């Protein structure tokens, strides 16, 4: 039974049902894409927080769908979001991962944020990182937030927006 939220927001059950539906539409779209390309891959659907997570793992060809620095993956994610929006009528925030690239990138960036945060804490000297996507910057900000005595900010304009780690 779904209980209405007194604030008027969707209940947790309704939100999860909507995200599962988004994941299923995304999975169908991506399965058709893999068939057209004649690529092998297993599609896994999950819900994490307030977004659907779709992962494709398997065949050797999948790295071609990631591209250099994840550019092809980012483009496929946007196309998949548009396909889901066309099917459901609502904007999707789904996250697409292919061949574990995004998960690996998340680990690398979290380690970078922790390392730079510690270095800034020890030296007292702020550091600017290279430009990153919003996804990448959020991971670095979250990792820096775990280090006492430092904080981070984003500076610059896209596509040169970057994280700066500063002592408190």
């Amino acid at each position: 039974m779904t209980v209405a939220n007194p604030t008027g927001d969707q209940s947790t059950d309704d939100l999860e049902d909507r995200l599962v539906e988004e994941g299923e539409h995304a999975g169908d779209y991506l399965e058709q894409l893999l068939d057209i390309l004649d690529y092998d891959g297993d599609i896994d659907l999950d819900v994490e927080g307030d977004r659907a997570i779709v992962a494709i793992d398997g065949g050797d060809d999948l790295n071609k769908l990631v591209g250099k620095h994840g550019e092809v993956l980012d483009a496929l994610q946007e196309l998949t979001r548009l396909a889901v929006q066309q099917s459901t009528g609502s904007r999707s925030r789904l996250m697409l991962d292919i061949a574990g690239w995004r998960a690996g990138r998340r680990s690398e960036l979290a380690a970078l944020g922790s390392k730079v945060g510690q270095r800034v804490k020890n030296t007292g000297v702020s550091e600017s990182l290279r430009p990153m996507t919003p996804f990448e910057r959020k991971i670095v900000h979250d990792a820096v937030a775990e280090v006492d005595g430092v904080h981070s900010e984003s500076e610059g304009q896209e596509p040169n927006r970057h994280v700066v780690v500063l002592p408190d």
Side-chain angles (χ1 to χ4, degrees), residues 71-153:
E71 287 103 351
V72 176
L73 172 58
D74 288 341
L76 285 174
Q77 177 173 280
E78 285 307 310
L79 288 172
T80 304
R81 286 176 174 176
L82 288 171
V84 169
Q85 181 176 348
Q86 187 174 23
S87 296
T88 65
S90 324
R91 176 144 164 66
S92 172
R93 293 184 59 240
L94 76 84
M95 181 73 68
L96 175 62
D97 193 5
I98 298 176
W101 187 86
R102 208 176 291 276
R105 187 75 179 129
R106 183 183 305 248
S107 296
E108 290 173 14
L109 291 167
L112 174 66
S114 295
K115 178 180 169 184
V116 173
Q118 284 297 330
R119 191 165 52 228
V120 168
K121 178 181 177 178
N122 293 339
T123 65
V125 178
S126 62
E127 287 190 38
S128 294
L129 303 178
R130 68 165 185 73
M132 297 179 186
T133 66
F135 163 79
E136 293 172 324
R137 289 194 308 269
K138 180 179 182 335
I139 294 165
V140 172
H141 285 304
D142 290 348
V144 170
E146 297 292 318
V147 180
D148 290 332
V150 297
H151 65 280
S152 60
E153 299 173 357

Coordinates of all heavy atoms in Angstrom, one line a residue, residues 71-153:
E71 N 33.7 10.1 -23.3 CA 32.8 11.0 -24.1 C 31.7 10.3 -24.8 O 30.6 10.8 -24.8 CB 33.7 11.8 -25.2 CG 34.5 12.9 -24.6 CD 36.0 12.4 -24.5 OE1 36.3 11.2 -24.8 OE2 36.8 13.3 -24.2
V72 N 32.0 9.1 -25.3 CA 30.9 8.3 -26.0 C 29.9 7.9 -24.9 O 28.7 7.9 -25.2 CB 31.5 7.1 -26.8 CG1 30.4 6.3 -27.4 CG2 32.5 7.6 -27.9
L73 N 30.4 7.4 -23.8 CA 29.5 7.0 -22.7 C 28.6 8.2 -22.3 O 27.3 8.0 -22.1 CB 30.3 6.6 -21.5 CG 29.5 6.3 -20.2 CD1 28.4 5.2 -20.4 CD2 30.5 5.8 -19.1
D74 N 29.1 9.4 -22.2 CA 28.3 10.5 -21.8 C 27.2 10.8 -22.9 O 26.1 11.1 -22.6 CB 29.2 11.8 -21.6 CG 30.0 11.7 -20.3 OD1 29.6 11.0 -19.4 OD2 31.0 12.5 -20.2
A75 N 27.6 10.7 -24.1 CA 26.6 10.9 -25.2 C 25.6 9.9 -25.2 O 24.4 10.2 -25.4 CB 27.4 10.9 -26.6
L76 N 25.9 8.6 -25.0 CA 24.9 7.5 -24.9 C 24.0 7.7 -23.8 O 22.8 7.4 -23.8 CB 25.6 6.2 -24.9 CG 26.2 5.6 -26.2 CD1 27.0 4.4 -25.9 CD2 25.2 5.4 -27.2
Q77 N 24.6 8.2 -22.6 CA 23.7 8.4 -21.5 C 22.7 9.5 -21.8 O 21.5 9.3 -21.5 CB 24.6 8.9 -20.3 CG 23.8 9.2 -19.1 CD 24.6 9.5 -17.9 OE1 25.1 8.6 -17.2 NE2 24.9 10.8 -17.6
E78 N 23.1 10.6 -22.5 CA 22.1 11.6 -22.9 C 21.1 11.1 -23.8 O 19.9 11.4 -23.7 CB 22.8 12.8 -23.4 CG 23.5 13.6 -22.4 CD 22.6 14.1 -21.2 OE1 21.5 14.6 -21.5 OE2 23.0 13.8 -20.1
L79 N 21.5 10.3 -24.8 CA 20.5 9.7 -25.8 C 19.6 8.8 -25.1 O 18.4 8.8 -25.4 CB 21.3 8.9 -26.9 CG 22.0 9.8 -27.9 CD1 22.9 8.9 -28.8 CD2 21.0 10.6 -28.7
T80 N 20.1 8.0 -24.1 CA 19.2 7.1 -23.4 C 18.2 7.9 -22.5 O 17.0 7.5 -22.4 CB 20.1 6.1 -22.5 OG1 21.0 5.4 -23.3 CG2 19.2 5.1 -21.8
R81 N 18.7 8.9 -21.9 CA 17.8 9.8 -21.1 C 16.7 10.4 -22.0 O 15.5 10.4 -21.6 CB 18.5 10.9 -20.5 CG 19.4 10.5 -19.3 CD 20.2 11.7 -18.7 NE 20.9 11.3 -17.5 CZ 21.7 12.1 -16.9 NH1 22.0 13.4 -17.4 NH2 22.3 11.7 -15.8
L82 N 17.0 10.8 -23.2 CA 16.0 11.3 -24.1 C 15.0 10.2 -24.6 O 13.8 10.5 -24.7 CB 16.7 11.9 -25.4 CG 17.4 13.2 -25.2 CD1 18.2 13.6 -26.4 CD2 16.4 14.3 -24.8
A83 N 15.5 9.0 -24.8 CA 14.6 7.9 -25.2 C 13.7 7.6 -24.0 O 12.5 7.4 -24.2 CB 15.4 6.7 -25.5
V84 N 14.2 7.6 -22.8 CA 13.3 7.4 -21.6 C 12.3 8.5 -21.5 O 11.1 8.3 -21.2 CB 14.2 7.3 -20.3 CG1 13.3 7.3 -19.1 CG2 15.0 6.0 -20.4
Q85 N 12.7 9.7 -21.7 CA 11.8 10.9 -21.6 C 10.7 10.8 -22.7 O 9.5 11.0 -22.4 CB 12.6 12.2 -21.8 CG 11.7 13.4 -21.7 CD 12.4 14.7 -21.8 OE1 13.7 14.7 -21.7 NE2 11.7 15.8 -22.0
Q86 N 11.1 10.3 -23.8 CA 10.1 10.2 -24.9 C 9.1 9.1 -24.5 O 7.9 9.2 -24.8 CB 10.8 9.8 -26.2 CG 9.8 9.8 -27.4 CD 10.5 9.6 -28.7 OE1 11.7 9.0 -28.7 NE2 9.9 10.0 -29.8
S87 N 9.5 8.0 -23.9 CA 8.6 6.9 -23.5 C 7.7 7.3 -22.3 O 6.6 6.9 -22.2 CB 9.4 5.7 -23.1 OG 10.1 5.2 -24.2
T88 N 8.3 8.0 -21.3 CA 7.6 8.2 -20.1 C 7.0 9.6 -20.0 O 6.1 9.8 -19.1 CB 8.6 8.1 -18.8 OG1 9.6 9.1 -18.9 CG2 9.2 6.7 -18.8
G89 N 7.5 10.6 -20.7 CA 7.0 11.9 -20.7 C 7.6 12.7 -19.6 O 7.3 13.9 -19.4
S90 N 8.6 12.2 -18.8 CA 9.3 12.9 -17.8 C 10.8 12.9 -18.0 O 11.3 11.9 -18.5 CB 9.1 12.2 -16.4 OG 7.8 11.7 -16.2
R91 N 11.4 13.9 -17.6 CA 12.9 14.0 -17.7 C 13.5 13.0 -16.8 O 13.1 12.8 -15.6 CB 13.3 15.4 -17.3 CG 14.9 15.5 -17.3 CD 15.3 16.9 -17.7 NE 16.7 17.2 -17.4 CZ 17.8 16.5 -17.8 NH1 17.6 15.5 -18.6 NH2 19.0 16.8 -17.5
S92 N 14.5 12.3 -17.3 CA 15.2 11.2 -16.5 C 16.6 11.7 -16.1 O 17.3 12.5 -16.8 CB 15.4 10.0 -17.4 OG 16.2 9.0 -16.8
R93 N 17.0 11.3 -14.9 CA 18.4 11.5 -14.4 C 19.2 10.2 -14.3 O 20.1 10.1 -13.6 CB 18.3 12.1 -13.0 CG 17.7 13.5 -13.0 CD 17.7 14.1 -11.6 NE 19.0 14.2 -11.1 CZ 19.5 13.7 -10.0 NH1 18.7 12.9 -9.2 NH2 20.7 13.8 -9.6
L94 N 18.8 9.2 -15.1 CA 19.4 7.9 -15.0 C 20.9 8.0 -15.3 O 21.4 8.9 -16.0 CB 18.8 6.9 -15.9 CG 19.0 6.9 -17.4 CD1 20.3 6.2 -17.8 CD2 17.9 6.3 -18.2
M95 N 21.6 7.1 -14.7 CA 23.1 7.0 -14.8 C 23.4 5.8 -15.6 O 22.9 4.7 -15.3 CB 23.8 7.0 -13.4 CG 25.3 6.9 -13.5 SD 26.1 8.5 -13.9 CE 25.7 9.5 -12.5
L96 N 24.2 5.9 -16.6 CA 24.6 4.8 -17.4 C 26.1 4.5 -17.2 O 26.9 5.4 -17.2 CB 24.4 5.1 -18.9 CG 24.9 4.1 -19.9 CD1 24.1 2.8 -19.8 CD2 24.7 4.6 -21.4
D97 N 26.4 3.2 -17.0 CA 27.8 2.8 -16.9 C 28.0 1.7 -17.9 O 27.1 0.8 -18.1 CB 28.1 2.3 -15.5 CG 29.6 2.1 -15.2 OD1 30.4 2.5 -16.1 OD2 30.0 1.6 -14.1
I98 N 29.1 1.7 -18.5 CA 29.5 0.7 -19.5 C 30.8 0.1 -19.2 O 31.8 0.8 -19.0 CB 29.5 1.2 -21.0 CG1 28.1 1.7 -21.3 CG2 29.9 0.2 -22.0 CD1 28.0 2.4 -22.7
A99 N 30.9 -1.2 -19.1 CA 32.1 -2.0 -18.8 C 32.8 -1.5 -17.5 O 34.0 -1.5 -17.4 CB 33.1 -1.8 -20.0
G100 N 32.0 -1.0 -16.6 CA 32.5 -0.6 -15.3 C 33.4 0.7 -15.3 O 34.0 1.0 -14.3
W101 N 33.3 1.4 -16.5 CA 34.2 2.6 -16.6 C 33.8 3.7 -15.6 O 34.7 4.2 -14.9 CB 34.1 3.2 -18.0 CG 35.1 4.3 -18.2 CD1 36.4 4.2 -18.6 CD2 34.8 5.7 -18.0 NE1 37.0 5.4 -18.6 CE2 36.0 6.4 -18.3 CE3 33.7 6.4 -17.6 CZ2 36.2 7.8 -18.2 CZ3 33.8 7.8 -17.5 CH2 35.1 8.5 -17.8
R102 N 32.5 4.0 -15.4 CA 32.1 5.0 -14.5 C 32.4 4.7 -13.1 O 32.8 5.5 -12.3 CB 30.6 5.4 -14.7 CG 30.3 6.8 -14.4 CD 28.9 7.2 -14.7 NE 28.5 7.3 -16.1 CZ 28.7 8.3 -16.9 NH1 29.3 9.4 -16.4 NH2 28.2 8.4 -18.1
A103 N 32.2 3.4 -12.7 CA 32.5 2.9 -11.4 C 34.0 3.1 -11.1 O 34.4 3.5 -10.0 CB 32.0 1.5 -11.2
G104 N 34.8 2.7 -12.0 CA 36.2 2.8 -11.8 C 36.7 4.3 -11.7 O 37.5 4.7 -10.9
R105 N 36.0 5.1 -12.6 CA 36.3 6.6 -12.5 C 35.9 7.2 -11.2 O 36.6 8.0 -10.7 CB 35.6 7.2 -13.7 CG 36.0 8.7 -13.9 CD 37.3 8.8 -14.5 NE 37.6 10.3 -14.6 CZ 38.7 10.8 -14.2 NH1 39.7 10.1 -13.7 NH2 38.9 12.1 -14.4
R106 N 34.8 6.7 -10.7 CA 34.3 7.2 -9.4 C 35.4 6.9 -8.3 O 35.7 7.8 -7.5 CB 33.0 6.6 -9.0 CG 32.4 7.0 -7.7 CD 31.1 6.3 -7.4 NE 30.2 6.4 -8.5 CZ 29.0 7.1 -8.5 NH1 28.7 7.7 -7.4 NH2 28.2 7.1 -9.5
S107 N 36.0 5.7 -8.3 CA 37.0 5.3 -7.3 C 38.2 6.2 -7.5 O 38.8 6.7 -6.5 CB 37.4 3.9 -7.5 OG 36.3 3.0 -7.2
E108 N 38.7 6.4 -8.7 CA 39.9 7.2 -9.0 C 39.7 8.6 -8.5 O 40.6 9.2 -7.8 CB 40.1 7.3 -10.5 CG 40.6 6.0 -11.1 CD 40.7 6.1 -12.6 OE1 40.6 7.3 -13.2 OE2 40.8 5.1 -13.3
L109 N 38.5 9.2 -8.8 CA 38.2 10.6 -8.4 C 38.1 10.8 -6.9 O 38.5 11.8 -6.3 CB 37.0 11.1 -9.1 CG 37.2 11.3 -10.6 CD1 35.8 11.6 -11.3 CD2 38.2 12.5 -10.9
A110 N 37.5 9.8 -6.2 CA 37.4 9.8 -4.8 C 38.7 9.8 -4.1 O 39.0 10.5 -3.2 CB 36.5 8.7 -4.2
A111 N 39.6 8.9 -4.6 CA 41.0 8.8 -4.1 C 41.7 10.2 -4.4 O 42.5 10.6 -3.5 CB 41.7 7.7 -4.8
L112 N 41.5 10.8 -5.6 CA 42.2 12.0 -5.9 C 41.7 13.1 -4.9 O 42.5 13.9 -4.4 CB 41.9 12.4 -7.3 CG 42.3 13.8 -7.7 CD1 43.9 13.9 -7.7 CD2 41.8 14.2 -9.1
G113 N 40.4 13.2 -4.7 CA 39.9 14.2 -3.7 C 40.4 14.1 -2.3 O 40.8 15.0 -1.7
S114 N 40.5 12.8 -1.9 CA 41.1 12.6 -0.5 C 42.5 12.9 -0.5 O 43.0 13.6 0.5 CB 40.9 11.1 -0.2 OG 39.6 10.7 0.0
K115 N 43.3 12.5 -1.5 CA 44.7 12.8 -1.5 C 45.0 14.3 -1.6 O 45.8 14.8 -0.8 CB 45.3 12.1 -2.8 CG 46.8 12.3 -3.0 CD 47.3 11.6 -4.2 CE 48.7 12.0 -4.6 NZ 49.1 11.4 -5.9
V116 N 44.3 15.0 -2.4 CA 44.5 16.5 -2.5 C 44.1 17.2 -1.3 O 44.7 18.1 -0.8 CB 43.9 17.0 -3.8 CG1 43.9 18.6 -3.8 CG2 44.5 16.5 -5.1
G117 N 42.9 16.7 -0.7 CA 42.4 17.3 0.5 C 43.5 17.2 1.6 O 43.7 18.1 2.4
Q118 N 44.1 16.0 1.8 CA 45.1 15.8 2.8 C 46.3 16.7 2.6 O 46.9 17.2 3.5 CB 45.5 14.3 2.8 CG 44.5 13.4 3.5 CD 44.3 13.7 5.0 OE1 45.2 14.2 5.7 NE2 43.1 13.5 5.4
R119 N 46.7 16.8 1.3 CA 47.9 17.6 1.0 C 47.6 19.0 1.3 O 48.5 19.7 1.9 CB 48.2 17.4 -0.5 CG 49.6 17.9 -0.9 CD 50.1 17.5 -2.2 NE 49.2 17.6 -3.3 CZ 48.9 16.7 -4.2 NH1 49.4 15.5 -4.1 NH2 48.0 16.9 -5.2
V120 N 46.5 19.5 0.9 CA 46.1 20.9 1.2 C 46.0 21.1 2.7 O 46.5 22.2 3.3 CB 44.8 21.3 0.5 CG1 44.3 22.7 1.1 CG2 45.0 21.4 -1.0
K121 N 45.5 20.2 3.5 CA 45.4 20.2 4.9 C 46.8 20.3 5.5 O 47.1 21.1 6.4 CB 44.7 19.0 5.5 CG 44.6 19.0 7.0 CD 43.9 17.7 7.4 CE 43.9 17.6 9.0 NZ 43.1 16.4 9.4
N122 N 47.8 19.5 5.0 CA 49.1 19.5 5.5 C 50.0 20.7 5.1 O 50.8 21.2 5.9 CB 49.9 18.2 5.0 CG 49.3 17.0 5.6 OD1 48.6 17.0 6.7 ND2 49.4 15.8 4.9
T123 N 49.8 21.2 3.9 CA 50.6 22.3 3.4 C 50.0 23.7 3.7 O 50.7 24.7 3.7 CB 50.9 22.2 1.9 OG1 49.7 22.4 1.2 CG2 51.6 20.9 1.6
G124 N 48.6 23.7 3.8 CA 47.9 25.0 3.9 C 47.9 25.8 2.6 O 47.5 26.9 2.6
V125 N 48.2 25.2 1.5 CA 48.2 25.8 0.2 C 47.1 25.2 -0.7 O 47.0 24.0 -0.8 CB 49.6 25.6 -0.5 CG1 49.6 26.2 -1.9 CG2 50.7 26.1 0.3
S126 N 46.3 26.1 -1.2 CA 45.2 25.6 -2.0 C 45.7 25.0 -3.3 O 46.8 25.4 -3.8 CB 44.2 26.7 -2.3 OG 44.8 27.8 -3.0
E127 N 44.9 24.1 -3.9 CA 45.2 23.5 -5.2 C 44.0 23.5 -6.1 O 42.9 23.2 -5.7 CB 45.7 22.1 -5.0 CG 47.0 21.9 -4.3 CD 47.5 20.4 -4.4 OE1 47.3 19.7 -5.4 OE2 48.1 20.0 -3.4
S128 N 44.3 23.8 -7.4 CA 43.3 23.7 -8.4 C 43.5 22.4 -9.2 O 44.7 22.0 -9.5 CB 43.4 24.9 -9.4 OG 43.1 26.1 -8.8
L129 N 42.4 21.7 -9.5 CA 42.5 20.5 -10.3 C 42.1 20.8 -11.8 O 41.6 21.9 -12.1 CB 41.5 19.5 -9.7 CG 41.8 19.1 -8.3 CD1 40.7 18.1 -7.8 CD2 43.2 18.6 -8.1
R130 N 42.4 19.9 -12.6 CA 42.1 20.1 -14.0 C 40.5 20.2 -14.2 O 39.8 19.7 -13.4 CB 42.6 18.9 -14.9 CG 42.0 17.6 -14.6 CD 42.3 16.6 -15.7 NE 41.6 15.4 -15.5 CZ 40.3 15.2 -15.7 NH1 39.6 16.2 -16.2 NH2 39.7 14.1 -15.5
P131 N 40.1 20.7 -15.4 CA 38.6 20.8 -15.6 C 38.0 19.4 -15.6 O 38.6 18.4 -16.0 CB 38.6 21.4 -17.0 CG 39.8 22.2 -17.2 CD 40.9 21.4 -16.4
M132 N 36.8 19.3 -15.1 CA 36.0 18.1 -15.0 C 34.6 18.3 -15.3 O 34.1 19.4 -15.2 CB 36.1 17.6 -13.5 CG 37.5 17.2 -13.0 SD 37.4 16.7 -11.3 CE 39.1 16.5 -11.0
T133 N 33.9 17.2 -15.6 CA 32.5 17.2 -15.8 C 31.8 17.4 -14.5 O 32.4 17.2 -13.4 CB 32.0 15.9 -16.4 OG1 32.1 14.9 -15.5 CG2 32.7 15.6 -17.7
P134 N 30.5 17.8 -14.5 CA 29.8 17.9 -13.2 C 29.8 16.6 -12.4 O 29.9 16.7 -11.2 CB 28.3 18.3 -13.6 CG 28.5 19.0 -14.9 CD 29.7 18.3 -15.6
F135 N 29.6 15.5 -13.0 CA 29.7 14.2 -12.4 C 31.0 14.0 -11.6 O 31.1 13.6 -10.5 CB 29.5 13.1 -13.4 CG 29.9 11.7 -13.0 CD1 29.1 10.9 -12.2 CD2 31.1 11.2 -13.4 CE1 29.5 9.7 -11.7 CE2 31.5 9.9 -13.0 CZ 30.7 9.1 -12.2
E136 N 32.1 14.3 -12.3 CA 33.4 14.2 -11.7 C 33.6 15.2 -10.6 O 34.2 14.8 -9.5 CB 34.5 14.4 -12.8 CG 34.5 13.3 -13.9 CD 35.4 13.6 -15.0 OE1 35.6 14.8 -15.4 OE2 36.0 12.7 -15.6
R137 N 33.2 16.4 -10.8 CA 33.4 17.4 -9.7 C 32.7 17.0 -8.4 O 33.2 17.2 -7.3 CB 33.0 18.8 -10.2 CG 33.9 19.4 -11.2 CD 33.6 20.9 -11.4 NE 32.2 21.2 -11.7 CZ 31.7 21.2 -12.9 NH1 32.4 21.0 -14.0 NH2 30.4 21.6 -13.1
K138 N 31.4 16.5 -8.6 CA 30.7 16.1 -7.4 C 31.4 15.0 -6.6 O 31.4 15.1 -5.4 CB 29.3 15.6 -7.8 CG 28.5 15.2 -6.6 CD 27.1 14.7 -6.9 CE 26.3 14.4 -5.6 NZ 27.0 14.0 -4.4
I139 N 32.0 14.1 -7.3 CA 32.7 13.0 -6.6 C 33.9 13.6 -5.8 O 34.1 13.2 -4.7 CB 33.2 11.9 -7.6 CG1 31.9 11.2 -8.1 CG2 34.1 10.9 -6.9 CD1 32.2 10.4 -9.4
V140 N 34.6 14.5 -6.4 CA 35.8 15.1 -5.8 C 35.3 16.0 -4.6 O 35.9 15.9 -3.5 CB 36.6 16.0 -6.8 CG1 37.7 16.8 -6.1 CG2 37.2 15.1 -7.8
H141 N 34.2 16.7 -4.8 CA 33.7 17.6 -3.7 C 33.3 16.7 -2.5 O 33.6 17.0 -1.3 CB 32.5 18.4 -4.1 CG 32.8 19.5 -5.0 ND1 33.6 20.6 -4.6 CD2 32.3 19.9 -6.2 CE1 33.7 21.5 -5.6 NE2 32.9 21.1 -6.5
D142 N 32.7 15.6 -2.8 CA 32.2 14.6 -1.7 C 33.5 14.1 -0.9 O 33.5 14.0 0.3 CB 31.4 13.5 -2.2 CG 30.0 14.0 -2.7 OD1 29.6 15.1 -2.4 OD2 29.3 13.2 -3.4
A143 N 34.5 13.7 -1.7 CA 35.7 13.2 -1.1 C 36.4 14.2 -0.2 O 36.9 13.9 0.9 CB 36.7 12.6 -2.1
V144 N 36.5 15.4 -0.7 CA 37.2 16.5 0.0 C 36.4 16.8 1.3 O 37.0 17.1 2.3 CB 37.3 17.8 -0.9 CG1 37.8 19.0 -0.1 CG2 38.3 17.5 -2.0
A145 N 35.1 16.8 1.2 CA 34.2 17.1 2.4 C 34.5 16.1 3.5 O 34.3 16.4 4.7 CB 32.8 17.0 2.0
E146 N 35.1 14.9 3.3 CA 35.4 14.0 4.3 C 36.7 14.3 5.0 O 37.0 13.7 6.0 CB 35.5 12.6 3.7 CG 34.2 12.0 3.1 CD 33.2 11.8 4.1 OE1 33.5 11.2 5.2 OE2 32.0 12.1 3.9
V147 N 37.5 15.3 4.5 CA 38.8 15.6 5.1 C 38.6 16.9 6.0 O 38.2 17.9 5.5 CB 39.8 15.9 4.0 CG1 41.2 16.3 4.6 CG2 40.0 14.7 3.1
D148 N 38.8 16.8 7.3 CA 38.7 17.9 8.2 C 39.8 19.0 7.8 O 40.9 18.6 7.5 CB 38.9 17.5 9.6 CG 37.8 16.6 10.1 OD1 36.6 16.8 9.6 OD2 38.0 15.8 11.0
G149 N 39.4 20.2 7.9 CA 40.3 21.3 7.8 C 40.4 21.8 6.4 O 41.2 22.7 6.1
V150 N 39.7 21.3 5.4 CA 39.7 21.8 4.0 C 38.3 21.8 3.5 O 37.4 21.2 4.0 CB 40.6 20.9 3.1 CG1 42.0 21.0 3.6 CG2 40.1 19.5 3.0
H151 N 38.1 22.5 2.4 CA 36.8 22.5 1.7 C 37.1 22.7 0.2 O 38.2 23.1 -0.2 CB 35.8 23.6 2.2 CG 36.3 25.0 2.0 ND1 37.2 25.6 2.8 CD2 36.0 25.9 1.0 CE1 37.5 26.9 2.3 NE2 36.7 27.1 1.3
S152 N 36.1 22.5 -0.6 CA 36.3 22.7 -2.1 C 35.2 23.6 -2.7 O 34.1 23.7 -2.1 CB 36.4 21.3 -2.8 OG 35.1 20.6 -2.5
E153 N 35.6 24.2 -3.8 CA 34.7 25.0 -4.6 C 34.9 24.7 -6.0 O 36.0 24.3 -6.4 CB 35.0 26.5 -4.3 CG 34.8 26.9 -2.9 CD 35.2 28.4 -2.6 OE1 35.7 29.0 -3.6 OE2 35.1 28.8 -1.5

